[in-house]
Amino acid sequence: MATRARVRAPELIGRGGWLNTGDTQYTLADLRGRIVILDFWTFCCINCLHVLDELRELEEKHRDTVVIIGVHSPKFVHEAEHQAVVDAVERYQVHHPVLDDPELATWKQYAVRAWPTLVVIDPEGYVVAQHAGEGHAHAIEKLVEELEAEHAAKGTLRRGDGPYVAPEPVATHLRFPGKALVLPDGGFLVSDTTRHQLVRLAADAETVLQRYGDGERGLVDGGPERARFSEPQGLALLPGARVVVADTVNHALRVLDLESAETTTVAGTGRQWWQGSPTNGPARDVDLSSPWDVAWWQGEVWIAMAGVHQLWAYDPEHGTVRVAAGTTNEGLVDGPVAEAWFAQPSGLAATEERLWVADSETSALRYVDREGAVHTAVGTGLFDFGHRDGAAGQALLQHPLGVTALPDGSVAVSDTYNHALRRYTPPVQEGHSGEVTTLATDLREPSDAVLVGEDIVVVESARHRLTRLRLPDEAVRVDAVAHRTQRAATEVAAGKLRLDVVFQAPAGQKLDTRYGPSTRLLVSSTPPELLISGEGAGTDLARDLEIDPAVAEGVLHVSAMAASCDDDPSNEYPACHVHQQDWGVPVRVSADGVTRLPLVLAGMDQE
């Protein structure tokens, strides 16, 4: 067996303590003899949620040798609240121990640079691999099998039950509901996300009339007792008493016929879309990626495709899907739909002239106009957020998930991590920025809202209920706060900076070069002036950048992809695997800064 690089694993520390362990506090010494996989995640991050799903099968298959530990490392201020982490662990059905690390102490100890990052620790307490981004479950399973054999032979492998202790279940009618829809009879349909169901409520928004789905995670069509969903979210009414459902973790669109109570799949394959996959064609043949919301606009169902930072469109008449806006690059860039950047779009609302978008990771309210251009009404980028009213150009939101068009032309925003309902009023004259006010506070993670007469009914996701509010005539006054993501900036030298994306093909695999280069690297910066040279796309995972000494600080945006295939000459059609990650690296220009920036996609940085 090839010699494997090993580094002693730093201790696991986090002020928030441990979850899913029955209140037991663990150290690495307590886990000696087990293969430990650290999953550095934060619950706002769609890529982190993808990795949670990727790990489920490995977690079950190797449960007597592997301990997965989620190290929760917050991006937003709200994510540093302990109760919010407790809620997220239940919401996303995390069935392993979680260390709540609100101050990023363990993140810094392991020199992590991106969400999600996976670190593998062997039974003797050494780090043997690190992987950033998605698509690594297959490689990690191969490594786990090697470690099991190696340490069983050495006598250093300890089998048995892991430290996971399931929390006590809580009885409520809804559990972390996601989105709501007003039905023609005045009742509501709600996506009961954590219980993998749709729930029909009476007009009082409380009485349960019917549940659709058996409550188990799956992708199964049929009647209410047979159908299965997986963390459904967005809902939109179609002609003929039909509702289209964004079945998020199934990467699919489903249609519920309210008259027959039958659910059918109309788009998606159940597989997650990866770079290089088709982006248009017959809807049942094209992979999707975490559709989070849906809205009927201009004769199509528009889809907030959170997993790839795009908007897609489904044409029910012709049964096709297509990319409608966005490039898959994560960020805030306006302009023609084919060139715009989004960041985890999660809420949609259509008017005749505009499709409004809650762009959650940029804490922004954006819209697409009928001429095919994307505009930003509120928000500045990936790293600035807060709760500040006033002129829209300086107003701040915090990870909004829902948007609702109001009759007077204004827009209500479910400002999720501020626990508030906000309002954006467009400018009366061109050239002005509009106004942002607060309609209500003391909501708990509002994720959507719908209009009912003069009232607005809010989905309070973390209070597990719908809450009816009268639209106020006057705004609520709040103390303005502004935040930036609390990651330490990397000190870099002005001038030449060597960017190295580290990728080592997993054991038993090789880079797939049969059809050309199997790697891709895209680099840009905020502000653009930060880079004198080095921006743009290429196929080499290493690149020389030139940093402008006149720009004090900024963010390097790096997107990398590598495709590897099983290296078995006897197999004519080897299985292939895509590994990809986007990094936003805050940097500060300093005379003492580094001249090399390593970003680990897979493997270990040997320099």
Side-chain angles (χ1 to χ4, degrees):
M1 185 175 295
T3 302
R4 185 181 295 112
R6 301 200 308 171
V7 176
R8 175 64 71 181
E11 190 53 83
L12 305 178
I13 52 176
R15 183 171 53 81
W18 290 80
L19 307 176
N20 283 355
T21 62
D23 294 327
T24 300
Q25 307 297 300
Y26 283 92
T27 66
L28 277 177
D30 298 324
L31 303 171
R32 197 62 50 83
R34 311 299 291 270
I35 301 164
V36 177
I37 300 173
L38 303 182
D39 176 15
F40 289 87
W41 71 299
T42 189
F43 63 79
C44 72
C45 162
I46 190 67
N47 311 91
C48 300
L49 304 186
H50 290 166
V51 167
L52 283 176
D53 292 309
E54 288 179 5
L55 292 175
R56 292 186 198 279
E57 184 177 346
L58 183 148
E59 188 170 23
E60 179 62 29
K61 184 176 178 181
H62 297 273
R63 63 189 311 161
D64 66 332
T65 58
V66 170
V67 175
I68 296 176
I69 294 173
V71 182
H72 189 268
S73 312
K75 171 185 175 180
F76 290 99
V77 168
H78 169 60
E79 293 175 304
E81 297 175 14
H82 182 70
Q83 185 56 47
V85 181
V86 173
D87 288 345
V89 167
E90 181 189 352
R91 181 195 299 269
Y92 297 115
Q93 298 181 314
V94 180
H95 293 162
H96 51 249
V98 171
L99 175 65
D100 180 12
D101 182 19
E103 296 167 341
L104 302 180
T106 296
W107 165 287
K108 294 170 187 173
Q109 288 273 79
Y110 281 82
V112 174
R113 292 186 182 272
W115 296 279
T117 291
L118 298 169
V119 175
V120 182
I121 302 172
D122 73 12
E124 294 178 290
Y126 289 90
V127 174
V128 293
Q130 181 171 328
H131 303 262
E134 305 177 50
H136 302 295
H138 179 84
I140 289 176
E141 180 163 15
K142 290 290 185 185
L143 176 57
V144 164
E145 291 171 351
E146 288 184 7
L147 291 172
E148 286 176 338
E150 175 185 340
H151 288 273
K154 291 173 65 175
T156 50
L157 183 69
R158 177 166 58 89
R159 296 179 179 270
D161 293 335
Y164 171 67
V165 177
E168 289 293 323
V170 182
T172 53
H173 289 317
L174 302 172
R175 206 71 192 159
F176 298 104
K179 305 288 185 181
L181 178 67
V182 181
L183 298 176
D185 65 1
F188 300 88
L189 188 68
V190 183
S191 52
D192 196 16
T193 304
T194 296
R195 291 194 177 130
H196 315 298
Q197 292 180 323
L198 308 179
V199 179
R200 190 168 187 168
L201 301 177
D204 63 4
E206 296 180 4
T207 305
V208 175
L209 301 179
Q210 188 165 16
R211 294 182 180 273
Y212 305 91
D214 70 358
E216 295 295 324
R217 187 189 294 272
L219 179 55
V220 179
D221 290 342
E225 289 80 25
R226 184 174 187 274
R228 287 187 172 178
F229 301 90
S230 189
E231 298 181 30
Q233 286 281 349
L235 307 165
L237 198 60
L238 298 178
R242 295 177 303 147
V243 176
V244 61
V245 182
D247 196 6
T248 304
V249 177
N250 276 327
H251 311 295
L253 294 190
R254 320 287 293 281
V255 166
L256 168 66
D257 187 312
L258 293 170
E259 294 181 352
S260 68
E262 291 282 321
T263 296
T264 56
T265 302
V266 297
T269 62
R271 298 184 300 271
Q272 184 184 338
W273 186 92
W274 291 97
Q275 290 286 352
S277 300
T279 56
N280 62 76
R284 289 300 308 274
D285 298 337
V286 177
D287 300 338
L288 309 182
S289 182
S290 296
W292 206 277
D293 203 5
V294 282
W296 180 259
W297 192 54
Q298 294 188 310
E300 294 177 294
V301 175
W302 284 62
I303 309 163
M305 201 71 77
V308 285
H309 317 299
Q310 290 179 311
L311 306 180
W312 287 38
Y314 163 64
D315 182 342
E317 181 178 351
H318 297 97
T320 57
V321 292
R322 64 181 179 89
V323 172
T327 64
T328 75
N329 295 323
E330 183 180 15
L332 193 154
V333 176
D334 290 340
V337 290
E339 301 171 13
W341 292 19
F342 294 91
Q344 214 167 300
S346 301
L348 299 175
T351 67
E352 186 174 343
E353 296 299 322
R354 295 177 176 180
L355 180 72
W356 293 97
V357 183
D359 203 30
S360 62
E361 279 295 290
T362 52
S363 296
L365 173 64
R366 309 178 70 188
Y367 65 91
V368 183
D369 65 25
R370 293 177 66 90
E371 286 69 46
V374 177
H375 308 263
T376 298
V378 183
T380 59
L382 284 165
F383 300 99
D384 294 292
F385 56 92
H387 192 154
R388 186 163 64 199
D389 288 335
Q394 57 84 52
L396 294 172
L397 309 169
Q398 187 179 182
H399 197 78
L401 291 179
V403 59
T404 308
L406 301 178
D408 64 357
S410 66
V411 179
V413 179
S414 296
D415 194 7
T416 309
Y417 288 2
N418 280 328
H419 309 300
L421 190 67
R422 311 286 291 284
R423 173 185 252 153
Y424 167 73
T425 303
V428 177
Q429 296 177 324
E430 287 294 326
H432 293 259
S433 69
E435 190 82 7
V436 174
T437 53
T438 297
L439 297 176
T441 57
D442 194 32
L443 302 168
R444 188 69 186 169
E445 292 194 17
S447 55
D448 195 20
V450 293
L451 280 174
V452 181
E454 296 183 356
D455 295 340
I456 190 163
V457 176
V458 180
V459 180
E460 277 199 273
S461 189
R463 283 199 176 113
H464 320 293
R465 71 188 188 191
L466 303 190
T467 299
R468 187 183 298 264
L469 303 173
R470 177 58 56 95
L471 276 173
D473 295 326
E474 295 185 3
V476 176
R477 302 187 72 84
V478 296
D479 292 330
V481 292
H483 303 288
R484 296 209 84 206
T485 300
Q486 295 303 302
R487 276 191 291 165
T490 299
E491 303 273 343
V492 300
K496 183 179 177 181
L497 176 66
R498 179 69 170 179
L499 172 65
D500 283 327
V501 174
V502 177
F503 178 78
Q504 295 152 6
Q509 297 180 31
K510 64 179 181 179
L511 287 173
D512 177 21
T513 57
R514 292 171 297 168
Y515 308 108
S518 61
T519 56
R520 185 186 68 129
L521 180 65
L522 178 67
V523 179
S524 64
S525 66
T526 303
E529 296 77 24
L530 177 66
L531 283 177
I532 295 174
S533 64
E535 73 278 6
T539 58
D540 194 339
L541 291 181
R543 187 177 301 179
D544 288 325
L545 312 179
E546 187 175 359
I547 303 295
D548 190 338
V551 180
E553 61 181 13
V555 178
L556 290 175
H557 304 283
V558 180
S559 177
M561 184 274 289
S564 60
C565 293
D566 293 346
D567 188 12
D568 182 358
S570 65
N571 187 353
E572 186 177 357
Y573 303 104
C576 294
H577 316 276
V578 176
H579 318 262
Q580 65 182 43
Q581 173 61 15
D582 295 334
W583 290 269
V585 183
V587 298
R588 184 177 299 113
V589 180
S590 164
D592 300 323
V594 299
T595 58
R596 176 178 178 265
L597 177 62
L599 300 176
V600 177
L601 179 60
M604 298 278 284
D605 181 26
Q606 305 288 348
E607 292 191 28

